[in-house]
Amino acid sequence: MAVRNSLSGQLLRRSSVVAGARFMSSWFRSIEPAPKDPILGVTEAFLADQSPNKVNIGVGAYRDDNGKPVVLECVREAERRIAGSQFMEYLPIGGSIKMVEESLKLAYGENSEFIKDKRIGAVQALSGTGACRLFAAFQHRFHPNSQIYIPVPTWANHHNIWRDAGVPMKTFRYYHPETRGLDFSGLMEDIKNAPDGSFFLLHACAHNPTGVDPSEEQWREISSLIKIKGHFPFFDMAYQGFASGDPERDAKAIRIFLEDGHLIGLAQSYAKNMGLYGQRVGCLSVLCEDEKQAVAVKSQLQLLARPMYSNPPVHGALIVSTVLGDPKLKNLWLKEVKVMADRIIGMRATLRENLEKLGSPLPWQHITNQIGMFCYSGLTPEQVDRMTNEFHIYMTRNGRISMAGLNTGNVGYVANAIHEVTKSA
Amino acid sequence: MASSVLSIATQCVSPNASSLSINETHKGKAKLGGSTLRFSKSSGRISMTVAVNVSRFEGIPMAPPDPILGVSEAFRADTNDVKLNLGVGAYRTEELQPYVLNVVKKAENLMLERGDNKEYLPIEGLAAFNKATAELLLGADNPAIKEQRVATVQGLSGTGSLRLGAALIERYFPGSKVLISAPTWGNHKNIFNDARVPWSEYRYYDPRTVGLDFEGMIEDIKAAPEGTFVLLHGCAHNPTGIDPTPEQWEKIADVIQQKNHIPFFDVAYQGFASGSLDEDAASVRLFVARGMEVLVAQSYSKNLGLYAERIGAMNVISSSSESATRVKSQLKRLARPMYSNPPVHGARIVANVVGTPILFDEWKAEMEMMAGRIKNVRQKLYDSISSKDKSGKDWSFILKQIGMFSYTGLNKNQSDNMTNKWHVYMTKDGRISLAGLSLAKCEYLADAIIDSYHNVS
């Protein structure tokens, strides 16, 4: 048997020779420091702050009324069931089949004909980000000359995702600053003016960052117009169940589009509604004309995923399929997600009440009109900076407030701070 | 064109079909543009069915099955009792069962008891993991770590970490190429292709000796334009199992330094090759000790059996801490639009195992056991083949190769014979995964190899 000289032994002898070796000049000199991520950088800054009064209403992660992160009971139970019993062998490239099945039922409907007819090409994805990125890469590969229309504003990372996938972006009007509501006529005009067959990114519910959603009637009109124009609707659904407390209700926009015969794309995330943030579990689906096409599309999604990460992580997927696959656990989940949504709805009401009681001259009904985790407060970047510098309240500079970061203990303090920075506005 | 519209039209005539509400009040059929419109009543209002529903992805072809993962699929479909799966590189026990390491079970139980939350990790991953992984790779007292010259970002196992490195190259070294070994792990090419980084090959495997074509390797590295990234397997080369000797590593480092190339290590088997974590990291440490700037992708899929948790890291060892800070910030910027932040579960397991001395020691013992089983299997296979094969062919390469895989030297036809006649599943390049072989099956495999080698061309 060949004897290998210990390389580490030789290394010891050699290292005394190279001690004090001149480093050649760095290959990385031209690499500039990247700017802080506008959203995740907020949490970094918050963590570094020593003030006892500090409040984090930056990142969209749910907190309970004590400001603590929550692991859902249904999730804990699922984890107990799966602990130690699994061999951690690679999932298929497309991920957990069970988890994907359950995800499709949740989004498309328990008895969806599209599921029965196997018309949906779907894979497990790295939460919402990964699902969007996979779709963007897919769009780039098969429609290399296409662009993506994104709402103004949208989640900051949407820009990064499509840009890094090589797909140019265009915008459509969405938020109306004057009313702090939806610019519906602007939206419809922009949909109409886009060239036929454009790709549109839509937030299925609980628009991030504004919290402003179209009404059901408005969704129907949007669907009609998109149909006439032959556009491709891509939905980002990161808050199903989290917006109204009812997953069926939160999927309404999607169901309208499906009824109207659109062949949609959909990114789903379990980060918020199942509290599985760090597990990175989600699903990307593309509704096709028939089963054959769905199989082909899935195979191509897999071909894109393989050189990105080979196959997706198992742990979060097992939790999701365990919870959704067991009627009792699923019911528990439905209750727990409603509790989270209700607490947020309650905080909206409280924040608004407090501001009105303080005698703020500005209108605040948008706080309760908007829905989901975020509220577009209308604060300017300068006012946001004051919130941070004077009051140690952390939020993103676009004025977005994460309602989940508010609780009965700090809502008064935050209302007061908002009042202070806006009263002379 | 017309026929596709027609076929779509027939598909759309379901009772709950697509409906558009418009202000028309006509009944019956009408033509609008090139599409046929049908009118139907739907919940009280007059609505129209637009029979244009062609998918945007109609022309999408079916992708071929993955050359490695497809082998296991074929194996599962085989009903023959003697079948043997030597395809994918996943460790199996002597009983040919998957293996969850004891330390992993212990770590998971600890985590369960502690009731850790599931919050987002930072983009760069779990700090405790990043610290542990860099120390494992370089040694805790490595000057590069002490001087904070190591930028570490948690990645999605080896693949994800390689992809981050590739993306960094594409963005900041436009026009730079990567040199990869011939052969190399199949997915390397996909990763660089999709990241739009051009690559070419350096000679590596010598079929005549079933060993390393060292002269060819050095020549090709020398011939590459200055500033090329050279992809090196830290230990246990995949697919060949052929590693350079310590002396050869020195010479490789020499020529890379001379040509001002950048070494890019793929370390997927640290601990798994020789059984010693330190020994298997020696090649990387050699390059770092010479003061070179190095990229290193790590994976815990095999050595901690955490395959499906997708846990690994991209490390960039650079010449200053200031540079490392900048590089890390850009790695994060590349990761954010890929997946935002990495999965937490596997990272916690690794951090717990490596960070808890008693678990770390237990891990080292389990690693030695796994690597030891593979060494035993190599020996048994070699003994079986040498005693059965009277042709005088030198089979000692089986013993010289290291790690999970062995390049048998069988060509495609011979590999097919292995599968078709002997129900031995392997990849078409002649690679067998010894991790899927038991002592009990060595004799059978020896027969199969001898038959395929001598009787099939």
Side-chain angles (χ1 to χ4, degrees), chain B residues 7 30 52 188 253 259 306 339 343 422 434 437:
Chain B
S7 63
V52 183
H188 280 145
K259 292 290 303 195
L306 293 177
Y339 49 83
W422 296 88
L434 293 166
L437 182 61

Side-chain angles (χ1 to χ4, degrees), chain B residues 159-274:
Chain B
T159 304
S161 306
L162 286 161
R163 182 59 178 263
L164 275 182
L168 187 77
I169 295 171
E170 193 269 342
R171 184 168 284 185
Y172 290 102
F173 299 87
S176 289
K177 254 198 199 175
V178 177
L179 266 184
I180 62 181
S181 64
T184 192
W185 178 47
N187 207 25
H188 280 145
K189 294 177 185 173
N190 299 332
I191 292 168
F192 291 112
N193 283 342
D194 276 23
R196 291 184 307 269
V197 174
W199 53 267
S200 60
E201 289 175 302
Y202 60 87
R203 281 167 282 172
Y204 194 82
Y205 172 65
D206 187 348
R208 293 166 305 151
T209 59
V210 196
L212 179 60
D213 178 1
F214 187 61
E215 300 303 319
M217 177 180 183
I218 294 294
E219 245 178 74
D220 291 345
I221 293 179
K222 245 195 204 142
E226 198 176 295
T228 296
F229 289 81
V230 184
L231 189 66
L232 303 161
H233 298 228
C235 63
H237 183 271
N238 179 0
T240 66
I242 298 162
D243 283 351
T245 63
E247 297 74 26
Q248 289 172 329
W249 273 122
E250 296 274 359
K251 293 212 173 70
I252 294 166
D254 287 341
V255 70
I256 286 182
Q257 256 180 321
Q258 279 161 26
K259 292 290 303 195
N260 243 0
H261 291 331
I262 308 175
F264 187 161
F265 278 95
D266 184 354
V267 176
Y269 299 97
Q270 187 183 0
F272 221 106
S274 66

Side-chain angles (χ1 to χ4, degrees), chain A residues 279-294:
Chain A
Q279 305 288 346
R280 320 312 294 131
V281 54
C283 181
L284 170 66
S285 55
V286 178
L287 177 60
C288 303
E289 293 174 280
D290 54 36
E291 181 177 352
K292 181 156 169 255
Q293 204 177 82

